[in-house]
Structures are given as structure tokens and as C-alpha cells.
Amino acid sequence: MHTQEMALLTHDSLLLPEGRVEIRVIDPRYLSMIAEILKGHYSLVFGMSKANCELPCYEMATQCEIIDFNQLDDESLGIVLEGKQRVRVLSAAQRRDGVWISRVLRSHNWQQEPIYGEFELISAALEQFYEVNPDLFGLYENDVHLEDASWVSQRWLEVLPLYNQDKLRLLNQPNCHKTMNFVLELIKSHARDNQHS
């Protein structure tokens, strides 16, 4: 059981392997943490915030890389993170400067799988979702894998407005099948509701 120490960034949003998210960094503590990460002193793990708990985030988190950054109009830093590897956060401690350092254990990423049959609907719906959310789509710069069931399922989990425990229940599955069924049901019931209204 090989554990690693990683700098921990907590946020309201969920980031999964091959997903991308852009966040603003204003706090000087985190700006210096980003500098340490870019210099290779630490790897970065991104976790969904969890209030009033021993850990500052849910134990299911994602190791990620900073793939782009730029200065925003308000002098804050915009960074684009790309999820790489699922990890389990075993413990976390705050340094004097307030930055969290976590001890993590590598978890399994979902395997790539082809999308076929009626599940092609969730892929088409995701494509439509990106058309109406070009900012999100822009993060991927043509690096979109609508033919891969795992990729599509994880992108849906990142954007669907679900309770965190519901997302985690789906994430704790060994593969993307439950998520695919869940998203397909959502899309079908949405289509039924629209027919009746």
C-alpha cells in the first residue's frame, strides 16, 4: 500500500480523470502553493469540499495537473486543471500557511469502454450540453471522447446537479455502467416530461 503526500485543493465542483475545470485563485497562500506545484515540489489533488469534518474534502478525490493558467482582469490567477488519477484521501494536515497537505492512496480509474445502443443518447445529450455551454466545451479544445462510455459518464457526473453523496455512490462503482443507466433514465424522464407538458 503505497501512499503519497500531495497538496490538496478543495472546491465545490467535482473533477474526475480526463475532466477539466477552470478555477480562480485569489488567496496568496494558494498562489504560493501553485508555484510550489509548478516547480515540482508537490503533486496536486483536487477534492470536493466537505464542511465540519475531520477531512476538508470527501475522501474520493482526483490527482490532477495544471495544464494552463492566465492572469485574469481582476489580478487573480485562472488555472485550468486536468484530472489524471483517482485517489483516496487518507488524512490531511494544514501547514502554518493554511495550505492543506494530504496523504493519498491511488484508486482505480474507470476503464475505457465503447458506447453503443441506446446509451449513444447520453453521448449525444452531452454534445448538446457542450453546445449550450461553450465555455466548458472550450476547456477541452477538441480533446472530447464522446465514443468512450467512461469519459462521457464522468463528464455527466461533473456537471449534473446531484447531491454529493449521490455522486459518490455512483463514483464508488467499479465501472461506469450504473452512471450510464442513471443518466439515461434522467434524459428519458426529461423527454417524457416535455412530451406531457
Side-chain angles (χ1 to χ4, degrees), residues 55-70:
L55 287 176
C57 66
Y58 287 88
E59 64 174 33
M60 177 76 77
T62 302
Q63 181 184 350
C64 58
E65 282 176 11
I66 298 168
I67 58 166
D68 198 8
F69 57 90
N70 50 47

Side-chain angles (χ1 to χ4, degrees), residues 15-21 62-67 80-85 140 143:
L15 176 67
L16 295 168
E18 295 182 83
R20 292 181 186 174
V21 66
T62 302
Q63 181 184 350
C64 58
E65 282 176 11
I66 298 168
I67 58 166
V80 178
L81 302 173
E82 181 173 67
K84 293 293 181 194
Q85 177 65 48
Y140 289 96
D143 197 8

Side-chain angles (χ1 to χ4, degrees), residues 105-189:
L105 186 64
R106 209 179 147 100
S107 294
H108 292 292
N109 285 352
W110 284 346
Q111 295 302 307
Q112 289 185 322
E113 295 183 31
I115 278 195
Y116 54 86
E118 63 176 350
F119 291 110
E120 287 174 1
L121 187 61
I122 71 171
S123 191
L126 185 65
E127 196 170 18
Q128 284 180 329
F129 178 82
Y130 283 144
E131 280 167 20
V132 293
N133 294 283
D135 290 355
L136 201 55
F137 184 60
L139 291 175
Y140 289 96
E141 298 163 13
N142 302 323
D143 197 8
V144 172
H145 303 282
L146 295 170
E147 73 299 332
D148 174 11
S150 279
W151 193 90
V152 170
S153 301
Q154 292 184 112
R155 299 305 68 84
W156 273 120
L157 283 175
E158 288 168 342
V159 298
L160 280 173
L162 300 174
Y163 288 113
N164 287 345
Q165 55 264 39
D166 293 336
K167 287 191 179 189
L168 289 165
R169 205 170 22 251
L170 291 167
L171 281 174
N172 278 317
Q173 301 298 319
N175 55 40
C176 64
H177 301 168
K178 274 220 160 81
T179 300
M180 283 169 61
N181 287 319
F182 177 80
V183 176
L184 186 62
E185 259 327 293
L186 272 184
I187 292 168
K188 283 177 170 175
S189 68

